[in-house]
Amino acid sequence: MGRLRRQLGLHAGIFTLRRKELLWFYQEGASFLFPEAWDKFVEPIPIVERHDLMSAYYRRLTGSDENERLRCAQAWSVWELSTSRLYIDPEHIKHAEEDTFCLQFARIECHYFVHGGFFSADTQLLDHVDRIRHIPTTIVQGRYDVVCPATTAWELYKRFPEAEFTVISDAGHSAKEAGTTSALVAAADKYKTL
């Protein structure tokens, strides 16, 4: 197939796996915007363990009780899918009811999250952005992205000013929202001649 000679970066919904990003989404922050979905997310976890939801979920997602694993995987997945678009899409959320999808999705995410992405420092990705600043890059961020708030994309852009930075005013986290899709396609079209 030959050697890859061109590199480019298209990024939507910037997530650097910092503890404050994880706590915003899985402990307190996003919960204020989606209280009805949050109640469903915390429901499988006993009140005494809710001070550290990621760890509580991790114990259950990796535990031996199959029913509890599935119940927690579905609750985890429903939470994320319920918050990933500006306009809640019930059909999208139904995907979380699929056993294989939700178990894989929740277990992989939770595993990386409780281990800090296996990074040596909380800010490792931002600290090493100089390694990719030579790559033509477009950052596309939904203004109302609750999963990966715009502040992270903005912090990346400040350390990577060569990148193009586009905020989609009517989008959340999903790359399938019209404005985000259009911006990503436009960037890909621009880069196809590199």
Side-chain angles (χ1 to χ4, degrees):
M1 184 164 152
R3 188 175 167 175
L4 179 65
R5 298 185 190 282
R6 292 183 272 177
Q7 295 175 326
L8 61 96
L10 292 173
H11 303 283
I14 302 300
F15 178 59
T16 61
L17 232 151
R18 292 175 296 173
R19 185 80 179 149
K20 67 182 181 179
E21 295 169 61
L22 293 167
L23 291 176
W24 155 262
F25 192 67
Y26 292 105
Q27 196 61 48
E28 185 176 69
S31 58
F32 295 149
L33 300 174
F34 292 90
E36 70 288 1
W38 182 256
D39 281 353
K40 292 176 186 173
F41 176 63
V42 299
E43 192 274 325
I45 306 300
I47 292 171
V48 298
E49 293 183 60
R50 291 183 185 172
H51 64 281
D52 185 354
L53 287 164
M54 285 181 284
S55 293
Y57 263 98
Y58 186 71
R59 285 189 294 277
R60 286 158 179 80
L61 291 169
T62 59
S64 59
D65 184 329
E66 243 180 270
N67 290 328
E68 186 172 49
R69 254 195 336 257
L70 182 58
R71 178 176 177 227
C72 287
Q74 287 174 336
W76 179 284
S77 301
V78 165
W79 166 242
E80 186 153 337
L81 297 182
S82 295
T83 59
S84 67
R85 296 185 180 188
L86 180 58
Y87 298 105
I88 297 171
D89 179 358
E91 289 302 312
H92 180 61
I93 296 168
K94 283 183 183 176
H95 193 44
E97 296 171 5
E98 299 168 16
D99 294 0
T100 301
F101 166 78
C102 73
L103 283 165
Q104 292 171 348
F105 181 76
R107 292 177 81 186
I108 289 169
E109 276 198 340
C110 194
H111 180 71
Y112 275 87
F113 296 168
V114 298
H115 293 100
F118 300 95
F119 293 152
S120 58
D122 192 48
T123 56
Q124 182 171 334
L125 292 175
L126 290 173
D127 292 343
H128 295 287
V129 74
D130 286 343
R131 294 178 181 180
I132 63 167
R133 285 179 60 187
H134 66 284
I135 300 171
T137 298
T138 299
I139 300 167
V140 177
Q141 177 67 42
R143 170 65 67 199
Y144 301 102
D145 186 340
V146 175
V147 180
C148 299
T151 189
T152 301
W154 181 245
E155 290 173 40
L156 173 63
Y157 176 66
K158 289 192 304 186
R159 293 186 187 210
F160 191 174
E162 302 83 5
E164 284 185 30
F165 181 71
T166 303
V167 175
I168 308 303
S169 62
D170 61 349
H173 179 68
S174 177
K176 294 181 179 179
E177 292 174 286
T180 303
T181 300
S182 294
L184 290 170
V185 169
D189 284 345
K190 181 181 72 178
Y191 292 136
K192 72 181 176 186
T193 59
L194 290 180

